[in-house]
């Protein structure tokens, strides 16, 4: 079974969007892809609903991190320098992080 971690983030303001996306490409993605246990990493900008009657999401981005093992990923994240997370938090106002298992 495949395991996946999702980070759902909300930007601090629209003024930081360009800088955040540059940080994602130059810092976040290379850092995440180098972590033990990470098999694939993607960030998706959420732009709006696809169907009538569905509200615009409160989140700005969805990070999709496919992992080989949750415990390995959690150890990797715990060993990541605090400065990385300080940078991450400087762009966002809130985030949620959840793990799940692909059902198929």
């Amino acid at each position: 079974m495949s395991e996946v971690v999702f980070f759902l983030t909300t930007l601090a303001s629209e003024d930081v969007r360009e800088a955040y996306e540059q940080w994602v490409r130059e810092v976040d993605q290379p850092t995440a892809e180098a972590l033990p246990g990470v098999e694939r990493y993607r960030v998706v900008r959420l732009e709006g609903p696809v169907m009538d009657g569905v509200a615009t999401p409160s989140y700005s981005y969805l990070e999709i991190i496919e992992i080989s093992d949750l415990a390995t990923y959690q150890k990797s994240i715990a060993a990541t320098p605090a400065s990385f997370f300080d940078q991450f938090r400087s762009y966002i106002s809130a985030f949620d992080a959840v793990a799940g298992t692909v059902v198929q």
Side-chain angles (χ1 to χ4, degrees), residues 73-102:
Y73 177 75
Q74 289 171 320
K75 287 179 189 174
S76 300
I77 279 286
T80 302
S83 60
F84 172 84
F85 294 104
D86 291 342
Q87 290 174 18
F88 172 68
R89 288 185 183 100
S90 74
Y91 295 110
I92 63 168
S93 62
F95 76 96
D96 289 312
V98 297
T101 302
V102 175

Side-chain angles (χ1 to χ4, degrees), residues 9 11 39 50 56 61 64-65 69 77-78 86 88-89 104:
T9 61
L11 285 180
E39 296 178 349
V50 224
T56 299
Y61 292 87
I64 306 165
I65 308 163
D69 174 73
I77 279 286
D86 291 342
F88 172 68
R89 288 185 183 100
Q104 46 183 19

Side-chain angles (χ1 to χ4, degrees), residues 25-43:
R25 287 188 296 275
E26 295 176 0
V27 178
D28 190 27
Q29 185 170 5
T31 300
E33 289 176 339
L35 292 176
V38 173
E39 296 178 349
R40 187 171 183 200
Y41 175 83
R42 294 175 285 166
V43 177

